[in-house]
């Protein structure tokens, strides 16, 4: 039961957080996946662990890359104990660069059947200072 159901209000229509983590078989990328899994638990979200592949990769290489990706994810999931929050995918380099462009200040427009969604990088937030009240 969600908190919205407990209080009797409508559940949020906003999609849950999804963390995109590119993996390349290194210890550094495994560390990033570990951090992302912990963040996903805190945010009630999920992690999309991906391997970025080029356009000239054939089916045999794709299968090998996917097997290595799944093995790396399984190892990190076993280490963290966070199950059920991870998906794996092979991502074309062009798509990955388009997504990363948003993080660098670019704009990505997703054109769907009846609507367009504009994705932009959020401006950095100023740290909020607590209000000090003198007694």
């Amino acid at each position: 039961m969600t908190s919205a159901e407990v209080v009797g209000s409508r559940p949020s229509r906003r999609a849950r957080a999804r963390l995109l983590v590119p993996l390349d078989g290194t210890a550094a990328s495994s560390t990033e996946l570990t951090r992302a899994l912990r963040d996903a638990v805190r945010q009630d979200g999920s992690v999309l662990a991906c391997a970025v592949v080029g356009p000239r990769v054939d089916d045999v290489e794709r299968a090998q890359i996917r097997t290595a990706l799944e093995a790396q994810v399984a190892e990190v999931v076993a280490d963290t104990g966070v199950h059920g929050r991870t998906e794996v995918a092979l991502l074309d380099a062009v798509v990955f660069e388009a997504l990363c462009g948003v993080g660098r200040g670019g704009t990505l427009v997703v054109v769907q059947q009846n609507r367009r969604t504009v994705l932009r990088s959020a401006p950095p937030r100023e740290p909020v200072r607590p209000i000090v009240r003198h007694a």
Side-chain angles (χ1 to χ4, degrees), residues 37-106:
L37 282 170
R38 290 184 180 139
D39 287 346
V41 169
R42 275 194 297 276
Q43 299 175 19
D44 190 30
S46 62
V47 174
L48 176 60
C50 67
V52 180
V53 295
R56 291 181 167 73
V57 176
D58 64 11
D59 291 342
V60 173
E61 287 176 289
R62 282 181 182 272
Q64 291 171 342
I65 292 169
R66 185 170 186 92
T67 300
L69 175 66
E70 290 172 346
Q72 186 176 5
V73 168
E75 183 179 324
V76 172
V77 166
D79 289 345
T80 61
V82 178
H83 297 277
R85 294 198 178 264
T86 309
E87 295 177 73
V88 295
L90 298 182
L91 208 57
D92 286 339
V94 175
V95 175
F96 183 72
E97 280 304 314
L99 292 171
C100 289
V102 175
R104 293 188 301 269

XYZ file of all heavy atoms in Angstrom, residues 37-106:
505
model
N 22.329 1.935 -7.123
C 21.366 1.024 -6.490
C 20.919 1.558 -5.134
O 19.739 1.499 -4.789
C 21.966 -0.376 -6.345
C 21.990 -1.206 -7.619
C 22.818 -2.474 -7.414
C 20.584 -1.567 -8.050
N 21.854 2.091 -4.369
C 21.495 2.661 -3.058
C 20.602 3.888 -3.229
O 19.647 4.074 -2.477
C 22.762 2.990 -2.277
C 23.484 1.732 -1.843
C 24.689 2.016 -0.995
N 25.324 0.751 -0.626
C 26.621 0.564 -0.611
N 27.452 1.546 -0.909
N 27.126 -0.608 -0.264
N 20.903 4.715 -4.237
C 20.051 5.872 -4.519
C 18.658 5.435 -4.961
O 17.659 6.055 -4.590
C 20.668 6.752 -5.608
C 21.871 7.542 -5.118
O 22.088 7.619 -3.888
O 22.610 8.069 -5.974
N 18.583 4.377 -5.754
C 17.290 3.878 -6.229
C 16.423 3.418 -5.067
O 15.210 3.637 -5.073
C 17.490 2.744 -7.232
N 17.029 2.801 -4.075
C 16.272 2.374 -2.904
C 15.732 3.593 -2.169
O 14.562 3.635 -1.790
C 17.154 1.505 -1.967
C 16.468 1.279 -0.634
C 17.476 0.188 -2.636
N 16.573 4.617 -1.988
C 16.137 5.836 -1.287
C 15.024 6.555 -2.032
O 14.135 7.125 -1.425
C 17.324 6.788 -1.100
C 18.153 6.504 0.120
C 19.078 7.656 0.435
N 20.054 7.901 -0.613
C 21.206 7.270 -0.745
N 21.541 6.332 0.112
N 22.044 7.574 -1.717
N 15.076 6.546 -3.354
C 14.104 7.287 -4.162
C 12.955 6.422 -4.654
O 12.129 6.884 -5.434
C 14.818 7.904 -5.375
C 15.891 8.875 -5.010
C 16.636 9.369 -6.242
O 16.157 9.280 -7.368
N 17.821 9.901 -6.042
N 12.906 5.174 -4.244
C 11.915 4.217 -4.724
C 11.923 4.186 -6.251
O 10.890 4.254 -6.910
C 10.520 4.545 -4.199
C 9.540 3.411 -4.486
O 9.978 2.242 -4.540
O 8.343 3.690 -4.680
N 13.112 4.085 -6.807
C 13.273 4.075 -8.253
C 13.908 2.790 -8.737
O 13.922 1.781 -8.034
N 14.450 2.854 -9.948
C 15.117 1.687 -10.519
C 16.363 2.134 -11.270
O 16.542 3.314 -11.556
C 14.169 0.933 -11.455
O 13.797 1.758 -12.535
N 17.208 1.167 -11.586
C 18.466 1.430 -12.272
C 18.441 0.735 -13.624
O 18.083 -0.438 -13.715
C 19.662 0.914 -11.440
C 20.965 1.043 -12.204
C 19.747 1.648 -10.109
N 18.809 1.479 -14.648
C 18.997 0.907 -15.972
C 20.499 0.827 -16.203
O 21.159 1.834 -16.431
C 18.336 1.749 -17.059
C 18.556 1.272 -18.492
C 18.017 -0.149 -18.683
C 17.929 2.222 -19.484
N 21.043 -0.369 -16.057
C 22.466 -0.601 -16.301
C 22.624 -0.896 -17.782
O 21.952 -1.767 -18.320
C 22.958 -1.773 -15.465
N 23.497 -0.141 -18.436
C 23.614 -0.308 -19.872
C 25.068 -0.437 -20.299
O 25.982 -0.033 -19.590
C 22.959 0.858 -20.605
S 23.784 2.419 -20.367
N 25.242 -1.020 -21.451
C 26.533 -1.052 -22.126
C 26.333 -0.295 -23.430
O 25.348 -0.514 -24.140
C 26.974 -2.482 -22.396
N 27.234 0.603 -23.718
C 27.139 1.415 -24.929
C 27.846 0.674 -26.052
O 29.001 0.270 -25.913
C 27.766 2.799 -24.705
C 27.666 3.639 -25.952
C 27.097 3.501 -23.524
N 27.124 0.460 -27.153
C 27.684 -0.272 -28.287
C 27.678 0.600 -29.537
O 26.795 1.439 -29.721
C 26.921 -1.588 -28.561
C 27.078 -2.558 -27.413
C 25.464 -1.337 -28.830
N 28.666 0.404 -30.363
C 28.785 1.162 -31.605
C 27.932 0.569 -32.708
O 27.401 -0.541 -32.593
N 27.825 1.276 -33.829
C 26.960 0.827 -34.918
C 27.500 -0.384 -35.677
O 26.752 -1.085 -36.337
C 26.887 2.050 -35.837
C 28.106 2.837 -35.531
C 28.420 2.579 -34.091
N 28.781 -0.644 -35.571
C 29.377 -1.744 -36.337
C 29.468 -3.060 -35.554
O 30.088 -4.004 -36.019
C 30.764 -1.343 -36.826
C 30.740 -0.263 -37.872
C 32.143 0.078 -38.329
N 32.209 0.868 -39.524
C 31.905 2.138 -39.642
N 31.434 2.778 -38.596
N 32.040 2.779 -40.779
N 28.858 -3.117 -34.401
C 28.912 -4.320 -33.570
C 27.913 -5.343 -34.106
O 26.738 -5.039 -34.283
C 28.611 -3.966 -32.098
C 28.561 -5.200 -31.236
C 29.643 -2.990 -31.568
N 28.392 -6.556 -34.359
C 27.496 -7.587 -34.894
C 26.768 -8.321 -33.759
O 26.987 -8.055 -32.580
C 28.267 -8.566 -35.790
C 29.327 -9.357 -35.057
O 29.359 -9.333 -33.809
O 30.129 -10.029 -35.730
N 25.898 -9.244 -34.124
C 25.058 -9.944 -33.151
C 25.868 -10.781 -32.162
O 25.507 -10.878 -30.989
C 24.033 -10.830 -33.865
C 22.980 -10.009 -34.590
O 22.831 -8.808 -34.262
O 22.311 -10.562 -35.484
N 26.947 -11.397 -32.625
C 27.769 -12.217 -31.734
C 28.424 -11.336 -30.672
O 28.408 -11.660 -29.474
C 28.847 -12.993 -32.544
C 29.808 -13.713 -31.624
C 28.176 -13.960 -33.507
N 28.972 -10.200 -31.098
C 29.588 -9.279 -30.141
C 28.550 -8.707 -29.180
O 28.828 -8.539 -27.987
C 30.289 -8.134 -30.875
C 31.574 -8.538 -31.563
C 32.162 -7.387 -32.348
O 31.576 -7.020 -33.390
O 33.195 -6.847 -31.888
N 27.361 -8.401 -29.685
C 26.291 -7.903 -28.817
C 25.947 -8.926 -27.736
O 25.743 -8.563 -26.581
C 25.039 -7.573 -29.630
C 25.113 -6.269 -30.356
C 23.802 -5.991 -31.121
N 23.895 -4.767 -31.851
C 23.583 -3.576 -31.358
N 23.134 -3.475 -30.147
N 23.716 -2.486 -32.099
N 25.876 -10.193 -28.120
C 25.569 -11.241 -27.145
C 26.668 -11.341 -26.086
O 26.387 -11.500 -24.898
C 25.389 -12.579 -27.855
N 27.923 -11.221 -26.510
C 29.038 -11.268 -25.562
C 29.014 -10.067 -24.615
O 29.229 -10.210 -23.411
C 30.368 -11.314 -26.306
C 30.608 -12.603 -27.048
C 31.838 -12.530 -27.947
O 32.332 -11.462 -28.285
N 32.317 -13.705 -28.354
N 28.742 -8.891 -25.169
C 28.685 -7.678 -24.346
C 27.537 -7.781 -23.339
O 27.691 -7.446 -22.167
C 28.540 -6.424 -25.243
C 29.823 -6.218 -26.048
C 28.212 -5.199 -24.415
C 29.707 -5.172 -27.145
N 26.382 -8.275 -23.805
C 25.231 -8.411 -22.901
C 25.518 -9.417 -21.788
O 25.157 -9.190 -20.629
C 23.982 -8.810 -23.678
C 22.753 -8.849 -22.795
C 21.486 -8.999 -23.596
N 20.342 -8.891 -22.729
C 19.694 -7.775 -22.466
N 20.067 -6.652 -23.008
N 18.644 -7.772 -21.659
N 26.182 -10.523 -22.117
C 26.527 -11.523 -21.100
C 27.458 -10.919 -20.055
O 27.276 -11.125 -18.846
C 27.183 -12.746 -21.766
O 26.250 -13.297 -22.707
C 27.561 -13.789 -20.750
N 28.469 -10.171 -20.493
C 29.393 -9.520 -19.563
C 28.667 -8.479 -18.711
O 28.921 -8.352 -17.506
C 30.543 -8.877 -20.337
N 27.742 -7.738 -19.322
C 26.961 -6.739 -18.603
C 26.117 -7.391 -17.516
O 26.107 -6.945 -16.360
C 26.072 -5.978 -19.587
C 25.082 -4.971 -19.026
C 25.804 -3.807 -18.371
C 24.151 -4.473 -20.131
N 25.422 -8.461 -17.877
C 24.579 -9.159 -16.902
C 25.409 -9.748 -15.769
O 24.978 -9.739 -14.607
C 23.761 -10.244 -17.600
C 22.671 -9.668 -18.494
C 21.975 -10.701 -19.351
O 22.480 -11.843 -19.486
O 20.928 -10.356 -19.931
N 26.614 -10.249 -16.073
C 27.487 -10.791 -15.034
C 27.941 -9.692 -14.077
O 27.965 -9.893 -12.850
C 28.695 -11.478 -15.668
N 28.302 -8.532 -14.616
C 28.734 -7.422 -13.766
C 27.597 -6.953 -12.865
O 27.794 -6.709 -11.673
C 29.258 -6.261 -14.618
C 29.860 -5.140 -13.799
C 30.463 -4.040 -14.654
O 30.362 -4.049 -15.879
N 31.088 -3.065 -14.010
N 26.395 -6.854 -13.416
C 25.232 -6.435 -12.634
C 24.923 -7.464 -11.547
O 24.677 -7.112 -10.392
C 24.005 -6.201 -13.541
C 22.733 -6.044 -12.722
C 24.234 -4.993 -14.424
N 24.966 -8.744 -11.895
C 24.679 -9.799 -10.911
C 25.671 -9.754 -9.754
O 25.287 -9.947 -8.589
C 24.714 -11.171 -11.588
N 26.925 -9.483 -10.048
C 27.946 -9.399 -8.997
C 27.666 -8.233 -8.049
O 27.720 -8.384 -6.823
C 29.325 -9.230 -9.635
C 30.454 -9.197 -8.640
C 31.801 -9.046 -9.323
O 31.988 -9.600 -10.421
O 32.664 -8.362 -8.749
N 27.326 -7.078 -8.604
C 27.047 -5.909 -7.761
C 25.761 -6.108 -6.963
O 25.698 -5.757 -5.782
C 26.982 -4.622 -8.617
C 26.504 -3.441 -7.795
C 28.346 -4.329 -9.228
N 24.746 -6.685 -7.583
C 23.494 -6.956 -6.872
C 23.741 -7.917 -5.713
O 23.220 -7.730 -4.607
C 22.419 -7.499 -7.841
C 21.249 -8.104 -7.092
C 21.943 -6.388 -8.770
N 24.552 -8.927 -5.929
C 24.881 -9.862 -4.857
C 25.646 -9.172 -3.731
O 25.397 -9.436 -2.549
C 25.700 -11.027 -5.408
N 26.554 -8.263 -4.085
C 27.329 -7.542 -3.072
C 26.462 -6.590 -2.256
O 26.648 -6.458 -1.052
C 28.470 -6.742 -3.716
C 29.581 -7.632 -4.238
O 29.624 -8.831 -3.875
O 30.416 -7.132 -5.025
N 25.529 -5.899 -2.913
C 24.712 -4.902 -2.225
C 23.474 -5.497 -1.570
O 22.951 -4.926 -0.629
C 24.249 -3.796 -3.192
O 23.450 -4.379 -4.218
C 25.431 -3.047 -3.771
N 22.987 -6.603 -2.103
C 21.756 -7.190 -1.587
C 20.498 -6.480 -2.070
O 19.408 -6.738 -1.576
N 20.636 -5.569 -3.031
C 19.488 -4.834 -3.574
C 18.987 -5.591 -4.801
O 19.614 -5.572 -5.846
C 19.879 -3.385 -3.953
C 18.688 -2.663 -4.558
C 20.409 -2.642 -2.745
N 17.856 -6.262 -4.647
C 17.308 -7.080 -5.728
C 16.049 -6.436 -6.293
O 15.323 -5.741 -5.601
C 16.958 -8.478 -5.212
C 18.143 -9.245 -4.721
N 18.964 -9.941 -5.554
C 18.652 -9.395 -3.476
C 19.931 -10.507 -4.858
N 19.761 -10.171 -3.590
N 15.788 -6.693 -7.578
C 14.539 -6.277 -8.188
C 14.470 -4.830 -8.629
O 13.403 -4.339 -8.971
N 15.570 -4.128 -8.633
C 15.562 -2.721 -9.032
C 16.408 -2.448 -10.263
O 16.622 -1.313 -10.630
C 16.057 -1.844 -7.895
C 15.135 -1.860 -6.703
C 15.405 -0.694 -5.803
N 14.501 -0.689 -4.681
C 13.384 0.009 -4.619
N 13.033 0.769 -5.629
N 12.620 -0.027 -3.562
N 16.904 -3.493 -10.905
C 17.841 -3.310 -12.002
C 17.325 -3.922 -13.292
O 16.795 -5.027 -13.291
C 19.192 -3.961 -11.661
O 19.608 -3.507 -10.381
C 20.251 -3.599 -12.666
N 17.502 -3.186 -14.373
C 17.274 -3.689 -15.717
C 18.578 -3.511 -16.482
O 19.373 -2.633 -16.160
C 16.184 -2.893 -16.420
C 14.812 -3.015 -15.789
C 13.820 -2.139 -16.509
O 13.443 -2.494 -17.649
O 13.441 -1.104 -15.951
N 18.796 -4.349 -17.486
C 19.993 -4.212 -18.311
C 19.581 -3.991 -19.759
O 18.542 -4.473 -20.196
C 20.932 -5.441 -18.204
C 21.481 -5.578 -16.810
C 20.240 -6.701 -18.626
N 20.411 -3.229 -20.472
C 20.114 -2.952 -21.879
C 21.402 -2.597 -22.603
O 22.343 -2.075 -22.009
C 19.130 -1.799 -21.992
N 21.408 -2.909 -23.889
C 22.470 -2.436 -24.758
C 21.952 -1.144 -25.374
O 20.827 -1.088 -25.881
C 22.792 -3.455 -25.840
C 23.292 -4.809 -25.354
C 23.625 -5.702 -26.539
C 24.503 -4.659 -24.456
N 22.767 -0.110 -25.336
C 22.349 1.201 -25.802
C 23.257 1.646 -26.927
O 24.478 1.608 -26.793
C 22.440 2.177 -24.632
C 21.539 3.374 -24.591
C 20.077 2.971 -24.659
C 21.788 4.162 -23.320
N 22.667 2.040 -28.040
C 23.464 2.550 -29.148
C 24.179 3.818 -28.710
O 23.624 4.631 -27.963
C 22.595 2.838 -30.357
C 22.139 1.572 -31.059
O 22.779 0.532 -30.872
O 21.150 1.648 -31.795
N 25.380 4.015 -29.206
C 26.195 5.160 -28.821
C 25.501 6.484 -29.140
O 25.602 7.443 -28.366
C 27.558 5.087 -29.509
N 24.781 6.548 -30.239
C 24.092 7.785 -30.626
C 23.014 8.147 -29.606
O 22.873 9.310 -29.211
C 23.479 7.635 -32.041
C 22.660 8.840 -32.419
C 24.566 7.377 -33.063
N 22.250 7.161 -29.157
C 21.199 7.400 -28.164
C 21.826 7.818 -26.835
O 21.360 8.758 -26.178
C 20.318 6.144 -27.984
C 19.311 6.338 -26.862
C 19.625 5.794 -29.287
N 22.898 7.144 -26.450
C 23.572 7.483 -25.201
C 24.088 8.920 -25.241
O 23.942 9.672 -24.281
C 24.717 6.498 -24.926
C 25.409 6.755 -23.623
C 24.782 6.452 -22.426
C 26.676 7.296 -23.594
C 25.414 6.699 -21.219
C 27.326 7.538 -22.395
C 26.688 7.241 -21.202
N 24.671 9.324 -26.349
C 25.177 10.695 -26.476
C 24.041 11.710 -26.421
O 24.186 12.794 -25.862
C 25.980 10.866 -27.760
C 27.384 10.338 -27.657
C 28.170 10.960 -26.500
O 28.138 12.196 -26.323
O 28.811 10.199 -25.768
N 22.889 11.382 -26.994
C 21.737 12.284 -26.933
C 21.277 12.466 -25.490
O 20.969 13.586 -25.062
C 20.589 11.741 -27.789
N 21.255 11.392 -24.728
C 20.869 11.481 -23.320
C 21.901 12.261 -22.515
O 21.552 13.086 -21.666
C 20.692 10.077 -22.732
C 19.517 9.277 -23.279
C 19.582 7.840 -22.787
C 18.204 9.925 -22.897
N 23.170 12.025 -22.772
C 24.230 12.731 -22.053
C 24.256 14.208 -22.404
O 24.651 15.039 -21.588
C 25.593 12.101 -22.347
S 25.784 10.488 -21.584
N 23.834 14.544 -23.608
C 23.786 15.943 -24.018
C 22.878 16.772 -23.131
O 23.137 17.953 -22.880
N 21.815 16.178 -22.630
C 20.916 16.877 -21.716
C 21.670 17.235 -20.439
O 21.527 18.331 -19.904
C 19.666 16.028 -21.400
C 18.798 16.702 -20.358
C 18.872 15.766 -22.657
N 22.494 16.327 -19.966
C 23.275 16.580 -18.765
C 24.309 17.675 -18.942
O 24.754 18.291 -17.980
N 24.682 17.942 -20.186
C 25.654 18.996 -20.472
C 24.980 20.297 -20.884
O 25.618 21.188 -21.430
C 26.611 18.532 -21.565
C 27.514 17.390 -21.136
C 28.588 17.083 -22.171
N 28.074 16.717 -23.469
C 27.809 15.483 -23.881
N 28.023 14.466 -23.052
N 27.353 15.245 -25.078
N 23.670 20.411 -20.646
C 22.972 21.656 -20.928
C 22.175 21.664 -22.214
O 21.559 22.666 -22.560
N 22.167 20.573 -22.945
C 21.416 20.506 -24.192
C 19.940 20.232 -23.958
O 19.492 20.072 -22.831
